[in-house]
Amino acid sequence: MDLQQLAAIFQATLASDRATIKGAEEQLKAISKSPGYTLQVLKLIATPGLDASVCLSAAVNFKNIVKYRWVPTDADIYGGLDPIPDNEKAGIKEILPDLVISAVPLVQAQLNEALTLICACDFPLKWPNLLRELAAKLSAAAAAHAFPSIVVILRMASGIFQRYRGQSSSNNKLVAELDHSQQDFLPVLLEASHRLSTALPTAQDAGDVASLKHIICSYDLTFQIFHSLSFMGITPLMEEQLPWWMSQLLAILNFNSPLLAESDPDRASVLDAALGSACEAADFFVQQLEEELEPYLGGLATSVWHVLMRVSLNAGQDALAIAAMNFLTSISQSVYYSMFKGDVLRTICESVVIPNLRLRPEDEECFELNPTEFIRRFAQGGDASTRRRSAADLVRSLVERFAAEVAPLFTELVQKELAAFQADPRENWRAKDTAVFVVLALSARGRTEERGATKVAAVVDLDVFFQTQILPELQAPDVNGFPLLKADAIQFLTVFRSVLPKPVLLNALPHLVRLLACPANVVHSYAAIAIERLLALREIGGGVAGVPARGKRAKFEAADIAPILQPMLSSLFAAFRHPDSSENEFLMKAVMRVVGSAGSEIAPLLPLCLQALAGILIEVCRNPKNPGFNHYLFETVAALIRNGAEANRLGDSGKANSSVSENSNLSSINKGSSSSNIINSSGSSSSSSNLANLSAAASGTTPAPSSSSLSSTVATNNSSSNSNSNSNSNSNNNNTLFVSTAVAEQYERHIFSAFEYVLQQDVQEFHPYVFQIFAMLIEIRDPAVPLPAAYLQIFPPLMMPVFWERSGNVPALSRLVQAFLWKAAAAVMAGGHLLQVLGIFQKLASSKAHDHEGFALLNALVAHAPLAAYKPHLPTIFHIFNARLARSRTPKFARGVALFSLFLAAKHGAAELQAAVEEPTVGMGGGSSGGMMMGASGGGGGGALFGLVRNVIVPYMPYIEGQEEGKAIIVGAVRLLTEWLAAPPNRHIAGARELYRMLGTAAQKKLEAGADAVDSDEDGVGGGGGFTVAG
């Protein structure tokens, strides 16, 4: 395709017509697989006179191809994404740096990002000449005073060197790479800096604004680069240059020019950006190089202080103010804190700290017009990037160092602000906001997301402050009055939830429920956050030493919230009707937490909740835009099914378990625990729901975890374990939940119509969620009742390759197929689907990303299907194992082979395993598995099995985790020892005695380790398990 045709396609992607755009995108997707495509795109970008919008579209396309195809992930390769060929990569590296320099700014940004992505993979080993090339270009540009080119080159270098930030100096490989980078680039950077220092006053005196902006921007980037190159420790070369760089930091901190003023108060000027980078670099050096920095510290502190004194409260200078305050905080925490004594201390508090603690008009505007951003800043820990947070950190540090001087100053401030509010609440409500924030800043010393404040300073009496200042805001009859103060009160309660007594928190819950009716988005979102976090609290103490907090008893049990359960859920669902809250993820997360905490108490409300969620799901399907909301929505459905099953479990007279597990009901069990640990039962189906159109829903989706593992049907005896799949031995497992057909059908009546709508509308991101809940419904179904025909109609479309080609579908589909094998293996075999299941296993086994899901299918097959059905295919399965082990062995895959082999031996005996390993393959490709198992040798009986045991089973047994898996490997190992190794003629084969000892020792160690093994998962429903949001 020539460049003109390519330009036309990119032009079409900018059309107003959606059909035209989609057609152009499909064309690009098709031709992007052609050899040399990326080079054609770069040539197009370099074409003189090309329309700027087309050029930008092409640059974005190129960046995305680099992002996903330079080094594709295993999941991407599984989905059919091919890496860019090496010869094409070489051509890109030859063209790209010059193209970045010559491109227009918007295109430059995209190409520079692509270059940074490439460097993350290939620099320096696969692109060793890059730095020398950039250094040469920088030297030439600096000598020619080509300031625009200097900026572009420095920006490329800064992007490359960002890789060193956050890295440990113990990483020897990276330290060597850093030394290489310093040797290649620092001398030229120093040379360029010298030239900039002489050019700056010239441009200032001449009033050359364009050059001045480029010079200051270059300073900004040089500070960033020196900061990055210093991050892993100061080297002799950098220490030698340190005086020069400190002088440049001081020069810029003391520089000011009205020519660089920014007219837009919401945008930072180039000087503000450079000053911010200077403060960040100085802050870093204070923390890392106290001794080396001592000669310069006084000048730096004075300069930064003066910068802060002239910084306005405009949003455009936020980053500068934050960086400067962070620098002062670092000094106050260092050995040089004494420089704050006397008048300096009071001036900093009055002129710097207090103004930045107050609410600004920008904050009020954000509260009203951009509530999501307000919540991100102030309620979710994101306030680390706000002035208020930096000012609070500074005042906390000053109070710790100078308690006698500073604490009274801020205590007086709190009293003064509260008095002003009492005098005229309507006019001075902002004063109370300041007072509450100061108390929060000074009192909450230690703070975690899980528990809120964990260490409290005795600045004020928290109980008194809560009763006199916070509770009245929560109790105020008018939920619409002073919304920001209500948000402050809720925030106070949320932060100190671990400190305030439980009765106080219980008394506050109804007030939080009432505040859900406030139409202000921040208020009802804060109320939902508070409810969710209160219910997620765990008791401190009283546990066994070494047990993490997540394993301890919930602070609020089902009985605590039972009296307000119905109004709480009603208010939460009603809050979705507030403007802009139809997909409020904080509300949905609170619903999920309430359902999880209620346990079996939710049973009477379950139909109404499912009906409400189904309605929400149908609405969301029209335009899904909030992945977090969607995640919590499906987790809530799962929690309802799980807790409903607890309340209505068979064989328990309708009595629910006294302890309801909060483990995520849609959680991945790939850590090793059985799927029965979550919901190990069967689902149901509605004959009225025509879900056989599943095959129409064949597009893309996002990943979701599976509940794939061994079933607890591992045989504990030699013969009775060979049972039909419909006779489920898991029914005796105390963790297993089964419900009656009537209960299962009640669930389906409420949610199947919504799920059918998801599939009909092909809402791709919801497919994994729907598949997993289908699996749950199959798992909880009464094992004595055959699976309804409507479910069995779903199975054939599940075997379509198009579903399994999408990486995100695989975990959910794997769990669903396992559920079918568990509850309807006979029907699956009778329907002729065995070869399809084995074909899916073969595809999954070739993928490093999903091979564990293939093993999960095989294990389910062994657990539930009759041996006669799949026995002819076992040699082929081991042939596939051999090929993958020889081609691309990974510890995960080897563990899977070891586990499957031992499970097969446990279930059907050592003779069946030996026959499978040593017989010729049939059915899926032919060949022979005998003698191939990674070093198998020796003729006679058991040669291939000897190799399997010696080279795979024994080495990888210790690394197989999970309680059910532990049972499988112990039983399998014992049967191998007693039925094969110890039996003639194998015991007479050379090496058999040694292998017997090795296998026996491994089994004994595993048995001892398994005695105290406890599988753990994330605390709480939806707290970390469950569906995985796409990354």
Side-chain angles (χ1 to χ4, degrees):
M1 178 176 292
D2 61 31
L3 296 183
Q4 189 174 358
Q5 291 173 312
L6 189 58
I9 296 175
F10 279 115
Q11 184 70 60
T13 64
L14 305 173
S16 56
D17 176 42
R18 181 59 195 161
T20 302
I21 295 173
K22 187 172 183 180
E25 289 173 346
E26 290 298 324
Q27 276 187 283
L28 287 175
K29 185 177 180 181
I31 64 175
S32 66
K33 299 176 183 177
S34 305
Y37 170 77
T38 54
L39 295 175
Q40 283 288 92
V41 173
L42 290 180
K43 289 177 183 177
L44 178 66
I45 294 170
T47 302
L50 183 68
D51 181 87
S53 59
V54 172
C55 194
L56 180 59
S57 178
V60 171
N61 177 260
F62 172 77
K63 179 196 70 177
N64 288 334
I65 289 176
V66 167
K67 182 176 181 179
Y68 294 107
R69 289 183 51 198
W70 197 269
V71 180
T73 64
D74 291 335
D76 288 334
I77 293 173
Y78 174 85
L81 208 59
D82 296 323
I84 298 172
D86 289 343
N87 62 336
E88 198 168 327
K89 289 181 178 180
I92 291 171
K93 291 174 183 176
E94 187 176 338
I95 296 171
L96 191 54
D98 285 329
L99 189 55
V100 174
I101 294 172
S102 62
V104 297
L106 286 177
V107 174
Q108 245 172 26
Q110 298 298 324
L111 295 179
N112 189 41
E113 188 175 344
L115 185 141
T116 303
L117 291 169
I118 293 170
C119 289
C121 303
D122 285 11
F123 177 82
L125 295 179
K126 296 182 180 179
W127 204 348
N129 63 330
L130 174 62
L131 272 192
R132 289 190 292 273
E133 180 182 350
L134 291 181
K137 292 180 185 299
L138 178 60
S139 180
H145 283 195
F147 300 123
S149 295
I150 293 174
V151 170
V152 178
I153 296 165
L154 290 175
R155 189 166 283 128
M156 283 191 278
S158 181
I160 296 168
F161 297 143
Q162 284 285 336
R163 65 198 283 119
Y164 302 124
R165 297 203 187 190
Q167 300 297 324
S168 170
S169 58
S170 62
N171 187 334
N172 294 330
K173 180 180 178 182
L174 207 57
V175 168
E177 178 190 314
L178 177 61
D179 181 66
H180 161 81
S181 298
Q182 291 177 356
Q183 296 295 332
D184 278 353
F185 203 77
L186 265 182
V188 178
L189 185 67
L190 182 65
E191 174 196 338
S193 179
H194 277 287
R195 293 186 183 275
L196 290 171
S197 69
T198 59
L200 179 60
T202 303
Q204 170 75 356
D205 293 341
D208 186 351
V209 177
S211 295
L212 200 57
K213 286 185 176 180
H214 284 117
I215 292 169
I216 293 298
C217 187
S218 298
Y219 266 107
D220 180 11
L221 292 164
T222 57
F223 294 154
Q224 292 181 38
I225 290 171
F226 194 77
H227 185 176
S228 297
L229 292 176
S230 306
F231 202 93
M232 296 175 66
I234 199 80
T235 62
L237 177 60
M238 303 192 77
E239 190 170 2
E240 180 184 326
Q241 295 184 5
L242 194 61
W244 169 258
W245 291 109
M246 292 302 104
S247 72
Q248 295 308 291
L249 287 177
L250 283 168
I252 293 301
L253 288 169
N254 293 325
F255 180 79
N256 196 11
S257 173
L259 296 174
L260 298 176
E262 175 59 57
S263 58
D264 185 350
D266 293 330
R267 291 184 58 183
S269 70
V270 289
L271 182 58
D272 290 338
L275 290 170
S277 293
C279 289
E280 288 175 0
D283 183 22
F284 169 77
F285 291 129
V286 167
Q287 297 178 49
Q288 302 296 324
L289 306 169
E290 282 188 347
E291 184 177 343
E292 293 88 343
L293 209 66
E294 183 177 5
Y296 317 103
L297 200 55
L300 287 172
T302 301
S303 298
V304 172
W305 180 16
H306 289 154
V307 167
L308 268 174
M309 297 298 288
R310 67 175 187 259
V311 167
S312 70
L313 293 176
N314 292 338
Q317 293 193 301
D318 282 356
L320 171 56
I322 291 166
M325 284 189 283
N326 290 346
F327 171 74
L328 295 182
T329 301
S330 294
I331 291 181
S332 70
Q333 294 170 346
S334 73
V335 296
Y336 305 110
Y337 67 89
S338 60
M339 65 175 58
F340 284 124
K341 286 183 178 179
D343 293 338
V344 173
L345 184 63
R346 188 171 189 88
T347 302
I348 287 176
C349 291
E350 293 179 346
S351 302
V352 175
V353 175
I354 293 176
N356 285 291
L357 285 173
R358 296 189 187 280
L359 195 70
R360 297 180 301 162
E362 291 88 343
D363 298 324
E364 295 179 46
E365 183 179 335
C366 187
F367 179 90
E368 295 174 0
L369 302 181
N370 194 355
T372 302
E373 175 63 15
F374 187 94
I375 294 168
R376 186 196 69 80
R377 290 181 186 175
F378 298 106
Q380 296 181 285
D383 56 345
S385 60
T386 66
R387 292 193 189 219
R388 288 189 116 185
R389 172 61 180 271
S390 294
D393 290 342
L394 178 55
V395 73
R396 272 196 297 269
S397 180
L398 293 177
V399 168
E400 288 177 5
R401 292 292 194 184
F402 309 101
E405 298 95 325
V406 177
L409 182 66
F410 284 94
T411 302
E412 179 185 345
L413 174 66
V414 170
Q415 295 170 350
K416 179 181 175 183
E417 299 294 291
L418 290 176
F421 173 75
Q422 293 295 335
D424 189 349
R426 187 157 299 280
E427 187 65 28
N428 297 327
W429 63 267
R430 294 176 186 83
K432 183 170 184 178
D433 170 84
T434 301
V436 173
F437 188 84
V438 170
V439 172
L440 275 167
L442 294 180
S443 300
R445 294 294 175 86
R447 191 167 167 179
T448 67
E449 184 176 352
E450 180 185 4
R451 302 197 58 81
T454 56
K455 183 180 178 183
V456 177
V459 178
V460 298
D461 188 320
L462 279 185
D463 290 333
V464 173
F465 191 83
F466 179 83
Q467 295 294 333
T468 59
Q469 304 299 331
I470 302 302
L471 191 58
E473 297 296 340
L474 299 176
Q475 292 175 329
D478 182 9
V479 296
N480 299 319
F482 299 117
L484 224 153
L485 292 183
K486 285 182 169 51
D488 289 340
I490 298 170
Q491 178 79 334
F492 188 96
L493 176 68
T494 305
V495 169
F496 293 110
R497 61 190 182 275
S498 295
V499 179
L500 294 170
K502 181 177 177 179
V504 171
L505 299 178
L506 274 175
N507 180 58
L509 265 177
H511 302 306
L512 294 174
V513 171
R514 194 170 51 82
L515 287 171
L516 290 167
C518 178
N521 190 293
V522 172
V523 174
H524 62 251
S525 296
Y526 268 30
I529 291 169
I531 290 169
E532 190 275 326
R533 294 189 181 177
L534 287 179
L535 296 184
L537 272 178
R538 295 282 183 173
E539 292 283 13
I540 298 178
V544 179
V547 178
R550 66 181 57 166
K552 297 176 183 175
R553 185 167 58 90
K555 191 163 191 171
F556 295 92
E557 298 178 337
D560 293 323
I561 64 172
I564 61 169
L565 181 59
Q566 182 168 353
M568 188 184 301
L569 285 170
S570 297
S571 297
L572 283 166
F573 281 116
F576 288 114
R577 296 195 290 269
H578 289 309
D580 300 321
S581 279
S582 60
E583 294 185 40
N584 186 318
E585 68 178 273
F586 308 111
L587 291 172
M588 188 55 75
K589 188 175 183 181
V591 173
M592 180 196 71
R593 182 67 64 186
V594 170
V595 169
S597 300
S600 57
E601 298 285 344
I602 199 68
L605 304 175
L606 191 145
L608 292 176
C609 289
L610 283 178
Q611 186 175 356
L613 291 170
I616 292 172
L617 176 56
I618 290 173
E619 287 298 319
V620 171
C621 282
R622 296 189 172 97
N623 182 25
K625 55 182 181 287
N626 188 335
F629 176 86
N630 303 334
H631 175 91
Y632 297 131
L633 189 158
F634 282 100
E635 283 280 13
T636 304
V637 173
L640 284 166
I641 294 172
R642 174 66 163 84
N643 289 343
E646 285 278 4
N648 297 285
R649 65 191 307 168
L650 289 175
D652 203 19
S653 302
K655 181 181 177 181
N657 270 354
S658 58
S659 60
V660 179
S661 170
E662 281 196 312
N663 285 337
S664 174
N665 300 289
L666 304 174
S667 174
S668 172
I669 309 301
N670 292 333
K671 297 175 184 175
S673 61
S674 169
S675 58
S676 64
N677 292 340
I678 294 223
I679 274 196
N680 218 359
S681 295
S682 296
S684 60
S685 73
S686 170
S687 59
S688 63
S689 296
N690 180 18
L691 293 170
N693 60 4
L694 180 66
S695 59
S699 295
T701 188
T702 57
S706 70
S707 177
S708 57
S709 183
L710 286 179
S711 170
S712 59
T713 54
V714 164
T716 54
N717 57 65
N718 292 346
S719 58
S720 63
S721 60
N722 188 5
S723 60
N724 188 284
S725 62
N726 288 330
S727 175
N728 189 344
S729 62
N730 270 347
S731 59
N732 295 323
N733 190 320
N734 289 334
N735 290 326
T736 301
L737 298 175
F738 299 113
V739 299
S740 68
T741 301
V743 171
E745 289 179 348
Q746 181 189 43
Y747 300 156
E748 296 163 5
R749 279 195 299 271
H750 294 294
I751 61 174
F752 265 33
S753 59
F755 285 2
E756 186 172 20
Y757 186 78
V758 169
L759 298 174
Q760 287 174 342
Q761 298 299 311
D762 193 17
V763 186
Q764 300 173 9
E765 54 265 50
F766 292 170
H767 290 174
Y769 296 107
V770 170
F771 292 153
Q772 287 216 71
I773 293 178
F774 277 155
M776 289 182 65
L777 291 170
I778 292 175
E779 290 163 0
I780 63 171
R781 176 171 265 282
D782 184 353
V785 179
L787 206 59
Y791 267 118
L792 298 176
Q793 291 172 5
I794 297 174
F795 193 83
L798 293 177
M799 297 294 100
M800 293 177 62
V802 66
F803 280 111
W804 295 88
E805 288 170 0
R806 300 175 203 117
S807 181
N809 276 352
V810 170
L813 285 171
S814 174
R815 177 179 179 179
L816 182 52
V817 172
Q818 290 172 67
F820 273 107
L821 290 173
W822 181 5
K823 294 303 177 69
V828 170
M829 301 299 110
H833 301 300
L834 175 60
L835 283 180
Q836 292 174 307
V837 173
L838 293 175
I840 290 168
F841 151 72
Q842 187 172 13
K843 178 176 176 63
L844 297 177
S846 67
S847 165
K848 292 181 182 179
H850 297 302
D851 49 16
H852 59 285
E853 301 292 359
F855 282 114
L857 294 180
L858 288 184
N859 293 332
L861 198 64
V862 172
H864 307 300
L867 175 64
Y870 58 86
K871 181 176 180 178
H873 304 288
L874 285 173
T876 303
I877 291 171
F878 279 94
H879 178 76
I880 294 170
F881 290 165
N882 279 321
R884 169 67 195 277
L885 286 168
R887 181 184 73 253
S888 179
R889 174 188 289 217
T890 63
K892 183 179 68 160
F893 189 84
R895 287 196 302 270
V897 173
L899 178 57
F900 174 77
S901 302
L902 289 169
F903 188 35
L904 182 64
K907 184 81 173 176
H908 299 297
E912 293 294 347
L913 175 61
Q914 182 176 356
V917 171
E918 297 184 352
E919 288 183 14
T921 61
V922 294
M924 290 198 303
S928 172
S929 59
M932 293 179 60
M933 189 58 67
M934 297 307 295
S937 61
L945 188 53
F946 264 80
L948 170 64
V949 174
R950 181 185 297 276
N951 298 309
V952 179
I953 291 178
V954 170
Y956 290 97
M957 268 182 65
Y959 305 104
I960 299 173
E961 299 178 349
Q963 291 176 320
E964 299 301 329
E965 284 79 349
K967 298 175 188 177
I969 63 176
I970 295 301
V971 174
V974 169
R975 296 194 72 170
L976 280 174
L977 289 167
T978 57
E979 299 173 11
W980 174 64
L981 272 174
N986 291 332
R987 64 186 177 190
H988 301 299
I989 295 175
R993 190 183 301 270
E994 177 65 14
L995 191 57
Y996 185 97
R997 184 192 63 77
M998 291 168 62
L999 183 59
T1001 301
Q1004 180 64 30
K1005 287 182 178 178
K1006 193 66 185 176
L1007 188 63
E1008 293 170 355
D1012 299 319
V1014 178
D1015 291 332
S1016 65
D1017 207 334
E1018 289 294 330
D1019 165 40
V1021 178
F1027 295 115
T1028 304
V1029 179

